[in-house]
Each structure stands twice: as C-alpha cells, then as structure tokens.
Amino acid sequence: MSCIFCRIGKGEVPATKVHEDELVVVIRDIRPQAPTHLLVIPKEHIASLWDLENEALAGRLLQTSARVARAEGLERGWRLIANTREHGGQEVDHVHLHVLGGRALGPMLPGSHAH
Ligand code: AMP
Ligand code: ZN
C-alpha cells in the first residue's frame, strides 16, 4: 500500500493528528500555508471528491472540518478547499479537505480580484 494518506490513517506513517474517529483522521499539513492548516482525510481510500459517492461520509467530512476549525479557535473565519484532479492541482490522490485559517486569506485564487 503506497498511498500516503491511507498509511497515515492506519498509523503506519507519523503525522500530527488533531482528531481521529472510526471514519476520519485530521492532521496538520507538513507545508502549512496559514497558521492553521489541517487536512481532513477519510480512512477509506477514495481517490478524489469526484469519486466520493458516500453521502454520509461526505457529510461527516464537512462536519468534521467545522468541528476542528472550532477547536482551533478560528472564530474570525476560515476556508475549506478540495483540490480535485489535474486542473484542481491535486497532488495526493486520496480525497482530503484543507482547513485554512488564522490569518486573512485574501482573494480565493492567485490573480483574482477583490470587488
Ligand atoms: P493537494 O493534493 O494539492 O490538496 O495537496 C496535498 C497536501 O498534502 C499538501 O498541502 C501537502 O503539504 C500535504 N501533505 C503531503 N504529504 C503529507 C504528510 N505526510 N503529512 C502531512 N501533510 C502532507
Ligand atoms: Zn489512500
């Protein structure tokens, strides 16, 4: 099994876990883009959001994102990102949600304009 997020989910590769239950693990990103940068990862291997057909799991991932954002104290706001497939810039082919916060994040995309 070579999938890095499957291995983290099984505890075979070390990661800084901030939450774990039977379905989901949340870790700190090793290359943080903001003071809080978490990855919400299902333990089941699902390649991307494109392939996520389990509605209950989709809901769990979303709800867990909000729970960990709250636990991180992100009252001023935060952002949820799901890089998906090639044009989305997905690097790890195991679905995950980025929770980013702790600073003003600016425009959604590089080069986009605030109105
Ligand atoms: P993406 O697939 O584009 O959403 O990006 C994958 C993210 O996973 C990047 O932000 C990486 O820094 C992060 N990442 C990759 N390997 C690890 C790891 N072993 N532990 C924590 N974060 C990781
Ligand atoms: Zn996997």
Side-chain angles (χ1 to χ4, degrees):
M1 170 52 71
S2 59
C3 174
I4 184 70
F5 288 173
C6 281
R7 297 187 69 195
I8 287 171
K10 292 183 177 127
E12 294 170 2
V13 166
T16 307
K17 293 181 184 175
V18 302
H19 171 88
E20 182 170 16
D21 60 43
E22 75 281 15
L23 295 176
V24 181
V25 61
V26 184
I27 64 171
R28 293 198 190 278
D29 197 294
I30 39 165
R31 289 179 290 152
Q33 307 295 313
T36 290
H37 188 169
L38 306 176
L39 301 173
V40 180
I41 304 169
K43 289 187 171 175
E44 180 186 348
H45 182 85
I46 296 163
S48 79
L49 199 54
W50 183 267
D51 307 284
L52 180 57
E53 294 177 347
N54 181 336
E55 281 186 30
L57 183 59
R60 179 71 85 90
L61 293 171
L62 200 57
Q63 191 174 51
T64 302
S65 301
R67 279 183 57 187
V68 295
R70 181 177 287 267
E72 289 284 308
L74 302 179
E75 287 85 1
R76 296 184 73 184
W78 49 287
R79 188 171 289 167
L80 193 62
I81 294 175
N83 296 324
T84 303
R85 292 194 153 185
E86 182 187 353
H87 282 189
Q90 185 175 357
E91 290 176 4
V92 176
D93 290 331
H94 179 134
V95 67
H96 54 280
L97 302 176
H98 295 253
V99 171
L100 291 157
R103 66 171 171 84
L105 292 163
M108 189 170 71
L109 295 169
S112 69
H113 300 283
H115 294 285

